[in-house]
Amino acid sequence: KILILMRHGEAQHNVFEREYAKEHGTTFEHANEHEDYPIDPLLTGRGCGQMLSVSKRTASFFNKETGLQPDLFVVSPLRRAIQSALIAFPTSSPLASLKATPWVCHPACMEQANGNKSEFVSSSEELEQTFPGIDFDLFNQSLKAGDVYNSKEKVPLFESKMDLMNRTDAFLEWLKERDERVVVVSSHATWLQSLCSFSLQFEKSGSNTLEMFKKGEMRSVGIKFS
């Protein structure tokens, strides 16, 4: 399989954290305690611009001519990741694609390591209304099982590195059972780092550590399941 891994663009909470730190001279943890801190934020104008830049590359590299036309899109339940993927691949969106490429919201792909309010997911009803055509079945199952939290619960989300690695490993096991060859995954920095460094055990040549994905960055990797 070929995985096209992508981190979302700049979101509203990123700007809130910068402005709060500049005004108060504190860290983002203090900004997170403010009542106006964005919950499950969307992209900023700059973030949309970042993903529009990505869309120019996706049109050139991921199409019938290159043989890398996406067969499946997998997105985190958090709105910034979904929005980023839709902007980056506009002709493959659920309501625009003639190919009817499946879009699946996978709860294992979300960010939940920091206890940050930006990681409280929106309700299933809101997501389905905002992003029609995306399959939210797996997300709904996780909500019922209590594996992810709706924004109304306001429960801090913390997980160990081992828990994070278990989530990225579980995602690969799920992907292994799928038939699609070219898969786009839109997620978050910490999750992508775990997937590449631990689950895939990918190492950058000449370095012991893999650089974190930048906002709006896209990388591709080929994997072969044994």
Side-chain angles (χ1 to χ4, degrees), residues 168-189:
T168 51
D169 283 348
F171 172 76
L172 283 182
E173 287 299 315
W174 174 81
L175 195 63
K176 181 180 179 179
E177 302 303 318
R178 304 279 307 196
D179 294 330
E180 295 89 355
R181 185 178 72 93
V182 181
V183 182
V184 176
V185 182
S186 182
S187 186
H188 312 265

Side-chain angles (χ1 to χ4, degrees), residues 2 6 15 34 87 124 127 131 140-141 156 169 187 220-221:
I2 296 174
M6 182 173 61
V15 175
H34 196 279
I87 296 175
S124 175
L127 290 176
F131 305 108
N140 288 329
Q141 292 172 22
D169 283 348
S187 186
S220 59
V221 58

Side-chain angles (χ1 to χ4, degrees), residues 34-50:
H34 196 279
E35 62 180 2
D36 293 331
Y37 189 95
I39 294 176
D40 194 9
L42 291 169
L43 300 179
T44 62
R46 180 182 180 184
C48 291
Q50 290 170 336

